[in-house]
Amino acid sequence: MVENKATFCRVDLISSTEVEAYYEYLLNAFQEEFSGNSLREVYIDTKFVSPIFNKTQANFIRSIVVNAFQNKDPYRRGRSLFHFIPTHPLEIIDYIVNQGYPLSSAFLRWAYAYLEVRFDVGHWIRSIYRSVSPVDLMQIYEELKNLPPGKVPPTLELYYLIGTGTEKPYLPHDIGIREALRNTVSELGRFKDFNPVEYTNYYYSAISTEDLTVTINYYETLCAKRAYLPKNSTVLIVGNGPIPYEAFVWSMIPEIKTIVPADYDERNNEIMKQL
């Protein structure tokens, strides 16, 4: 009898330098979104929204702004109004968490260090204190007793993972979040009633300006990189859902011969094949 022993080795797909560069890009994107300087929003506005002012009016308004700041330095060190962002680093951290990043995620911890802000678990407890069930508050404090400094109590992180306020399931005071989640899943029949056709009709019955803009931009990017695509290429879309916009884009690229949808729900795959 021959015993097979598997040999495992670690393979780093991307370097730490690439991770650092991506984190800096991601943080900068969040800061721009938060301050209203998002290039994505500007792209959408300029591509699909008609200008409010004609050219003459725009030049007149621009001249007023320029004249207002002539020979004046409203901020120290010569920083212009465009570069001045009156936000505290914690506001950026809060914004990132509200967009769905877990408290214990590597990116959020990196952002703390990059922005030179000390991680304080008490800040996150105070932020949703009134939304937490008394049962879970006691659980959070018990977990804190056995956690090293800087670690996040699992029950507290669970609140942020599923959202707070109206986004979380209805939570009676005497029921903890885990029991509420179990009840919610049980009531939904473990998602057996999910209907991909109804989902598609509900979310995609009208054209979304933002989704259409992203699709066009994605298509233009792929067209510019067509030389790198082998002929008769195959595309695998993982977790495609019932109707991803990426499939429409790939289908318009001549080098793509086959698109393989791969979703955990076979009904989603069937709908994809019919498009």
Side-chain angles (χ1 to χ4, degrees):
M1 179 177 181
V2 179
E3 182 180 359
N4 293 326
K5 293 184 178 180
T7 302
F8 296 93
C9 62
R10 174 176 174 173
V11 178
D12 293 323
L13 299 180
I14 57 176
S15 66
S16 58
T17 303
E18 291 172 313
V19 173
E20 181 85 8
Y22 174 68
Y23 280 174
E24 287 190 20
Y25 156 77
L26 197 58
L27 179 60
N28 183 60
F30 276 123
Q31 289 175 321
E32 289 184 338
E33 289 277 355
F34 185 76
S35 61
N37 294 325
S38 168
L39 295 179
R40 178 178 61 84
E41 293 179 359
V42 171
Y43 179 82
I44 293 171
D45 291 341
T46 56
K47 193 119 184 172
F48 284 93
V49 181
S50 301
I52 299 175
F53 305 105
N54 60 38
K55 188 175 182 180
T56 303
Q57 292 171 326
N59 289 335
F60 175 72
I61 295 173
R62 189 179 298 109
S63 66
I64 293 177
V65 176
V66 172
N67 292 334
F69 289 98
Q70 273 187 348
N71 301 320
K72 293 182 180 181
D73 184 13
Y75 302 108
R76 291 180 297 176
R77 300 180 183 177
R79 298 183 69 184
S80 66
L81 181 63
F82 179 77
H83 292 96
F84 182 78
I85 302 177
T87 57
H88 190 279
L90 266 181
E91 293 182 277
I92 301 298
I93 295 291
D94 284 343
Y95 182 72
I96 293 173
V97 172
N98 287 332
Q99 298 305 305
Y101 273 84
L103 299 179
S104 59
S105 64
F107 168 63
L108 189 67
R109 293 310 181 100
W110 175 91
Y112 263 102
Y114 188 86
L115 296 172
E116 298 181 346
V117 178
R118 182 178 63 86
F119 179 82
D120 178 18
V121 70
H123 167 78
W124 299 109
I125 296 177
R126 290 188 293 271
S127 295
I128 60 170
Y129 185 84
R130 296 183 182 276
S131 300
V132 178
S133 165
V135 175
D136 288 326
L137 277 178
M138 296 298 297
Q139 181 66 25
I140 290 171
Y141 289 131
E142 286 298 318
E143 292 169 352
L144 277 172
K145 295 178 182 179
N146 302 317
L147 283 178
K151 295 295 183 180
V152 181
T155 302
L156 176 64
E157 181 143 51
L158 183 58
Y159 268 85
Y160 281 97
L161 287 174
I162 66 169
T164 57
T166 57
E167 295 179 12
K168 75 176 189 304
Y170 172 68
L171 201 60
H173 290 292
D174 57 340
I175 295 181
I177 189 65
R178 290 179 176 82
E179 183 64 24
L181 285 174
R182 281 192 288 268
N183 293 341
T184 301
V185 172
S186 176
E187 291 169 2
L188 292 176
R190 294 191 178 275
F191 307 104
K192 289 181 180 179
D193 295 329
F194 172 72
N195 189 318
V197 176
E198 292 181 2
Y199 172 88
T200 303
N201 290 335
Y202 181 82
Y203 285 101
Y204 298 96
S205 58
I207 297 177
S208 166
T209 300
E210 181 172 344
D211 289 339
L212 181 59
T213 306
V214 172
T215 302
I216 293 174
N217 193 36
Y218 185 43
Y219 175 70
E220 292 174 348
T221 302
L222 287 178
C223 284
K225 304 291 184 181
R226 281 181 57 191
Y228 297 98
L229 293 173
K231 292 184 178 180
N232 300 324
S233 295
T234 299
V235 175
L236 173 66
I237 304 180
V238 180
N240 53 265
I243 180 169
Y245 284 104
E246 294 90 337
F248 296 150
V249 175
W250 286 114
S251 65
M252 294 187 289
I253 305 298
E255 284 74 16
I256 303 302
K257 180 181 180 181
T258 306
I259 300 176
V260 181
D263 194 277
Y264 76 95
D265 191 325
E266 188 56 37
R267 294 172 299 174
N268 291 343
N269 295 330
E270 291 301 320
I271 290 179
M272 281 288 298
K273 295 174 183 178
Q274 297 173 21
L275 296 176

